[in-house]
């Protein structure tokens, strides 16, 4: 069962898996084991509320959140931070569901009670220009690469070259990737509210993706581009995270978050530096909101402001 389906059919399991493999706090660090247990219990309480309202994670709105908060507050002592803790948990969840294409909007941050929450959002992590260049060099096939090394370079190359999400990479099929002809590209099918899109492949990714595509030739067509080793089926997020972390460590990059999200942010920021608009970059990412791209553009504007200040002094 893929992660998208699990959010609808077994949401509690999907939430626990997300907490274990991908979710981070405002400091970009994974949550402690104790926090994960607490968050899972809070999430399951929210799920029970949604069930009573006959809505799902994909369809609940601000009114359902407000009614949930009203119920929570009747069971809590005055002056506690329970509402805020639940609100932050739900905001993180909804941002993730929007990012994954399961929802089209985040009803929590639109609520007046949480207008200041963007201040608590983690600063997006990305590779600086020099680190980006080093990783582009790293994905080039090397003499003596075995099948595992070829696969890992191709995985990192595809993340860095296209900005697709981990879910989209897991679902990518051989015939979605075109490395021949004058316009190499990746086709990303429509999924939920995300429209289908075609992402051009930059030159740095072609060699590693071509080599990997050749190893998949007997199983081409609608076979998975990156099947799970040994057992087949979709590769899991734990393996993808390990592959990306290993590549980042190889180029000397260290950060609280070493997940595929960093490469997605790097791709988007590279497009902004190349002059693309917020709308165009959001479309390349498959996002219906420009919020992520606006936050990434802010990092460019902040850097330019600092450089100008240095020049003036």
């Amino acid at each position: 069962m893929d992660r998208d389906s699990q959010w609808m059919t077994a949401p509690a399991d999907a939430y626990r898996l997300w907490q274990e493999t991908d979710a981070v706090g405002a400091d970009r660090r994974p949550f402690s084991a104790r926090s994960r247990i607490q968050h899972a219990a809070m999430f399951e309480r929210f799920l029970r509320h949604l069930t009573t309202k006959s809505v799902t994670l994909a369809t609940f709105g601000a009114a359902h959140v407000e009614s949930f908060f009203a119920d929570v507050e009747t069971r809590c002592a005055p002056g506690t931070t329970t509402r805020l803790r639940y609100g932050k948990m739900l905001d993180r969840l909804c941002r993730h569901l929007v990012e994954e294409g399961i929802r089209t909007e985040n009803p929590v941050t639109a609520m007046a009670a949480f207008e200041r929450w963007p201040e608590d959002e983690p600063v997006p992590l990305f590779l600086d220009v020099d680190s980006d260049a080093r990783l582009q060099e790293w994905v080039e096939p090397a003499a003596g690469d075995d099948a595992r090394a070829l696969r890992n370079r191709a995985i990192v190359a595809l993340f860095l070259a296209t900005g697709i999400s981990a879910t989209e990479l897991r679902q990518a099929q051989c015939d979605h990737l075109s490395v021949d002809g004058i316009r190499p590209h990746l086709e990303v099918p429509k999924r939920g509210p995300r429209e289908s899109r075609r992402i051009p492949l930059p030159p740095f990714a072609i060699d590693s993706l071509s080599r990997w595509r050749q190893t998949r030739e007997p199983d081409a067509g609608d076979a998975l581009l990156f099947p799970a080793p040994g057992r087949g089926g979709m590769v899991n997020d734990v393996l993808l995270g390990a592959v990306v972390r290993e590549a980042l460590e190889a180029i000397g990059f260290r950060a609280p978050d070493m997940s595929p999200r960093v490469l997605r942010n790097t791709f988007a920021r590279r497009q902004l530096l190349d002059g693309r608009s917020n709308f165009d970059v959001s479309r390349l990412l498959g996002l219906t909101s420009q919020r992520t791209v606006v936050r990434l553009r802010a990092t460019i504007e902040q850097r330019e402001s600092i450089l100008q200040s240095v020049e003036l002094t």
Side-chain angles (χ1 to χ4, degrees):
M1 179 184 298
D2 64 59
R3 181 78 68 90
D4 287 359
S5 300
Q6 196 174 35
W7 280 111
M8 294 296 100
T9 60
D13 292 339
Y15 185 85
R16 282 192 289 271
L17 181 59
W18 174 55
Q19 288 277 290
E20 292 170 2
T21 62
D22 202 36
V24 294
D27 60 359
R28 305 302 294 182
R29 298 183 183 280
F31 293 106
S32 68
R34 179 179 179 183
S35 292
R36 291 198 297 270
I37 292 171
Q38 291 174 338
H39 292 167
M42 293 163 67
F43 175 71
E44 289 175 13
R45 183 176 182 180
F46 180 64
L47 275 182
R48 292 194 293 272
H49 180 77
L50 295 187
T51 299
T52 67
K53 303 298 181 181
S54 300
V55 292
T56 70
L57 291 176
T59 59
F60 76 85
H64 301 111
V65 178
E66 283 286 14
S67 64
F68 173 70
F69 285 155
D71 179 65
V72 167
E73 288 179 343
T74 62
R75 305 168 190 271
C76 299
T80 63
T81 61
T82 302
R83 177 186 172 103
L84 182 61
R85 289 188 291 109
Y86 268 104
K88 288 188 174 183
M89 183 273 291
L90 292 175
D91 181 51
R92 281 192 301 270
L93 170 68
C94 288
R95 280 190 274 124
H96 176 70
L97 296 179
V98 170
E99 176 74 11
E100 290 299 300
I102 295 166
R103 292 188 60 89
T104 59
E105 44 77 36
N106 179 351
V108 183
T109 50
M111 297 168 62
F114 303 114
E115 286 178 351
R116 298 184 62 186
W117 278 18
E119 297 177 5
D120 295 328
E121 286 187 359
V123 175
L125 286 177
F126 51 85
L127 300 178
D128 58 75
V129 174
D130 290 340
S131 297
D132 185 11
R134 290 199 302 275
L135 193 58
Q136 291 180 27
E137 292 178 0
W138 182 89
V139 302
E140 290 285 342
D145 276 351
D146 57 15
R148 178 182 180 277
L150 286 174
R151 181 204 65 192
N152 290 0
R153 293 188 197 277
I155 286 173
V156 175
L158 198 60
F159 276 135
L160 193 62
T162 65
I164 59 173
S165 68
T167 296
E168 290 170 335
L169 185 139
R170 291 191 299 113
Q171 296 176 349
Q173 298 174 0
C174 291
D175 56 7
H176 294 163
L177 178 67
S178 174
V179 290
D180 301 318
I182 60 174
R183 293 185 179 86
H185 62 271
L186 177 73
E187 295 281 356
V188 183
K190 176 178 173 59
R191 184 170 60 89
R194 292 188 181 180
E195 295 299 325
S196 61
R197 61 196 195 275
R198 173 177 290 188
I199 309 174
L201 293 174
F204 75 78
I206 301 301
D207 285 349
S208 59
L209 290 173
S210 296
R211 289 279 299 276
W212 178 249
R213 182 68 170 74
Q214 290 168 10
T215 70
R216 301 290 297 136
E217 201 59 43
D219 303 312
D222 60 0
L224 291 171
L225 184 60
F226 296 103
R231 59 182 174 80
M234 288 187 187
V235 67
N236 62 42
D237 288 330
V238 175
L239 186 146
L240 293 180
V243 168
V244 171
R245 174 177 289 274
E246 182 180 299
L248 293 176
E249 289 176 346
I251 66 166
F253 180 83
R254 298 288 189 279
D257 182 9
M258 303 271 278
S259 73
R261 184 190 299 109
V262 175
L263 305 190
R264 182 167 164 85
N265 288 342
T266 301
F267 165 83
R269 195 170 186 271
R270 190 190 314 126
Q271 308 311 305
L272 294 173
L273 289 170
D274 287 344
R276 289 184 180 269
S277 68
N278 291 357
F279 174 81
D280 286 343
V281 177
S282 296
R283 181 175 52 81
L284 284 170
L285 293 174
L287 299 177
T288 56
S289 166
Q290 296 183 23
R291 185 173 182 177
T292 296
V293 176
V294 168
R295 291 168 61 219
L296 285 166
R297 186 177 290 281
T299 67
I300 298 173
E301 294 169 349
Q302 290 167 0
R303 181 177 182 276
E304 291 175 346
S305 177
I306 293 172
L307 291 176
Q308 289 174 0
S309 297
V310 171
E311 290 176 357
L312 290 174
T313 58

